[in-house]
Amino acid sequence: GVINFCEKALTCLLKTAKVTPSINYFMVHPGMGPDPKGLRSFGESRGIKTFAYGALGEPGPIEELINSPVLKRIANSRNRSVAQVALRWVAQSGCAFSVRPTLDFGLGRSTCEGTTCRTGLEERRQVFDWSLTAQEMSEIDAMSAPDGNPTIFSSPGCKGCYGCK
């Protein structure tokens, strides 16, 4: 697989690759839509599945997502957290995904120990015992903010990459 390959990088790779990557690992969160910048459909039309990270944004949770009225309303109506709703949306959209065990993991923390970590992982595991309705999926699909670059941590040459001018 590849990580954070934009369409341009994938096109270049596919011209010379002897083996097509099976996955492209990139950011997918509400506000980007189920097909961020067309990258998911571009890859999947070439046999490359999406493996998503950052269901609440990267490099850390985006306040606009944590405080989203749509996500909060759905979470409250189902007795779930906003993080669970965002992760469920990613999963139900058909993407494999990775999670942070806690909202602050990775932001100066590289280990996950103790009760907070166990509780966070348990909360994330609970995205598999329920489903969003078609209406809820449509509402989240329609969110247009915060938009984002799904390959923000990609190589130079990909539009909007981190550190690129």
Side-chain angles (χ1 to χ4, degrees):
V2 294
I3 299 172
N4 290 315
F5 270 47
C6 64
E7 188 174 324
K8 183 177 177 181
L10 281 174
T11 299
C12 182
L13 174 70
L14 293 172
K15 286 180 184 176
T16 59
K18 292 184 174 112
V19 176
T20 300
S22 56
I23 63 166
N24 187 7
Y25 184 58
F26 60 90
M27 183 168 41
V28 178
H29 64 68
M32 298 174 106
D35 188 13
K37 309 285 190 220
L39 187 56
R40 183 174 176 196
S41 58
F42 178 83
E44 292 185 4
S45 71
R46 289 153 179 83
I48 304 168
K49 296 290 186 187
T50 299
F51 192 133
Y53 69 83
L56 285 175
E58 286 293 335
I62 298 171
E63 287 296 320
E64 191 173 353
L65 284 172
I66 293 171
N67 296 314
S68 161
V70 171
L71 297 178
K72 278 183 151 182
R73 180 179 43 76
I74 294 169
N76 289 337
S77 73
R78 296 176 154 280
N79 198 28
R80 302 286 176 167
S81 70
V82 168
Q84 287 175 312
V85 171
L87 287 171
R88 182 65 214 177
W89 173 80
V90 171
Q92 209 165 310
S93 295
C95 294
F97 62 91
S98 64
V99 299
R100 292 174 180 269
T102 62
L103 288 180
D104 65 347
F105 183 79
L107 303 174
R109 291 183 56 198
S110 60
T111 61
C112 188
E113 301 171 350
T115 306
T116 302
C117 186
R118 280 191 297 278
T119 301
L121 288 171
E122 176 62 24
E123 177 186 331
R124 276 120 186 102
R125 187 186 67 77
Q126 293 172 0
V127 303
F128 298 108
D129 62 357
W130 61 286
S131 296
L132 293 163
T133 66
Q135 175 64 33
E136 291 167 333
M137 286 294 291
S138 293
E139 288 179 68
I140 298 170
D141 285 351
M143 289 174 58
S144 59
D147 191 4
N149 179 355
T151 60
I152 191 168
F153 301 110
S154 59
S155 302
C158 294
K159 185 179 180 184
C161 69
Y162 184 76
C164 295
K165 296 181 181 184

